Amino acid sequence: MFKNYKWKFCVFSPEHSTPLHIRRLLEKIIKKPFDSGITERMTKEEMNQGIKILNDNFFFMENKDTIPSIEWILNKAKQTILKFGIKGIIIDPYNEINSTREGNKREDEHIRDIISKCKKFCRTHEVVMWMVAHPSKLPRENGKINPPTLYDVSGSAHWNNMCDVGLVVHRDFDSNTTRVILRKVREQGLYGNIGECFFKYDLEKRVYEEIIPPEQANENNHQSNHWYND
């Protein structure tokens, strides 16, 4: 979205430090590693160019004193919307939000209310939010873990029931393949359609590049030949 549509982003991602996020984003922009290694690293000039791009387009929220509530996060996001015109908000992950619940509210009710507040905020301010939530522990089948469904997300079925768009990212480290599965689209055709795509991580460029699995390539060729024969 940043590259193709020039969107600006507000990011709350406390599992890693802001300097680490900046380093990883620089690698995605420059398409070279930040550190020395077996491949050519980015130059100082390229790094400064990338930092200028990051300063103009990515804004990080930090709260080093307390675990922030969803109200604190949304208030900070609102400030960046009004001041910088951001279009996307990233919360990664959900379990870094303050989990204190009012009264006798159950966990699923707490999650329901957070999702509801976020959806209302996005519609009011015309922004898009990506909220990362981890699945519960998944069983292995024949030594492998199958991609989770949205109902496997820890805490509540509301992750499936209330989301407008539900994406699952499943990485197979053995084959260096990342599978992105679109499990749910509330308004198909407007926001997308159910489907999936595959990526490999390019260690030299430090970016994910889309790949077409052999079975999908064969299907596409069959469809093309069928159209030609007709």
Side-chain angles (χ1 to χ4, degrees):
M1 303 303 290
F2 155 71
K3 180 179 178 181
N4 294 333
Y5 301 102
K6 310 303 180 186
W7 278 26
K8 297 181 179 182
F9 285 85
C10 182
V11 182
F12 173 73
S13 185
E15 278 194 332
H16 299 289
S17 67
T18 298
L20 180 58
H21 286 306
I22 291 173
R23 187 173 74 173
R24 288 176 172 174
L25 285 171
L26 282 173
E27 291 179 333
K28 303 295 180 289
I29 293 171
I30 307 299
K31 294 187 177 181
K32 291 181 181 179
F34 183 87
D35 298 311
S36 298
I38 60 175
T39 59
E40 180 186 3
R41 70 182 301 193
M42 67 181 70
T43 64
K44 184 176 180 180
E45 290 74 21
E46 289 171 330
M47 180 190 71
N48 289 333
Q49 178 187 7
I51 288 176
K52 173 65 167 61
I53 293 173
L54 291 179
N55 282 338
D56 293 338
N57 296 281
F58 290 86
F59 306 90
F60 292 90
M61 303 183 222
E62 287 188 341
N63 189 329
K64 297 180 179 179
D65 298 324
T66 60
I67 300 175
S69 65
I70 190 62
E71 289 79 12
W72 183 92
I73 294 171
L74 295 180
N75 181 59
K76 292 295 182 182
K78 181 179 179 180
Q79 294 177 37
T80 59
I81 293 170
L82 298 176
K83 188 173 182 179
F84 302 109
I86 68 159
K87 295 296 292 180
I89 302 168
I90 299 172
I91 298 177
D92 178 17
Y94 153 77
N95 57 12
E96 290 287 348
I97 302 172
N98 193 315
S99 60
T100 303
R101 304 197 292 266
E102 301 172 355
N104 296 321
K105 186 183 292 185
R106 301 190 309 270
E107 182 182 13
D108 65 307
E109 294 173 327
H110 177 69
I111 292 173
R112 175 202 63 198
D113 292 345
I114 285 180
I115 296 174
S116 181
K117 288 177 182 177
C118 291
K119 290 174 67 172
K120 181 179 179 181
F121 179 90
C122 290
R123 289 167 181 165
T124 299
H125 297 284
E126 297 183 338
V127 295
V128 178
M129 178 182 292
W130 287 262
M131 184 177 291
V132 178
H134 300 306
S136 55
K137 188 174 182 179
L138 299 170
R140 288 182 177 270
E141 294 183 12
N142 299 321
K144 289 190 175 183
I145 298 176
N146 291 323
T149 70
L150 297 177
Y151 286 114
D152 292 316
V153 179
S154 180
S156 172
H158 288 307
W159 291 115
N160 179 85
N161 299 338
M162 295 186 66
C163 72
D164 290 327
V165 177
L167 281 169
V168 169
V169 179
H170 182 71
R171 189 169 183 183
D172 185 336
F173 290 93
D174 293 334
S175 63
N176 184 26
T177 303
T178 299
R179 183 178 173 189
V180 180
I181 309 167
L182 188 53
R183 294 285 197 196
K184 176 184 177 182
V185 182
R186 189 177 298 280
E187 298 183 27
Q188 292 195 49
L190 180 61
Y191 297 125
N193 296 292
I194 302 299
E196 61 182 5
C197 52
F198 296 81
F199 298 86
K200 276 190 178 294
Y201 184 69
D202 189 314
L203 189 60
E204 182 176 345
K205 295 180 180 178
R206 293 297 201 273
V207 296
Y208 286 91
E209 295 184 340
E210 187 174 3
I211 58 174
I212 300 177
E215 60 273 14
Q216 185 175 334
N218 293 335
E219 182 180 345
N220 291 342
N221 289 335
H222 174 74
Q223 291 175 347
S224 298
N225 292 335
H226 180 72
W227 174 84
Y228 180 80
N229 292 334
D230 286 347

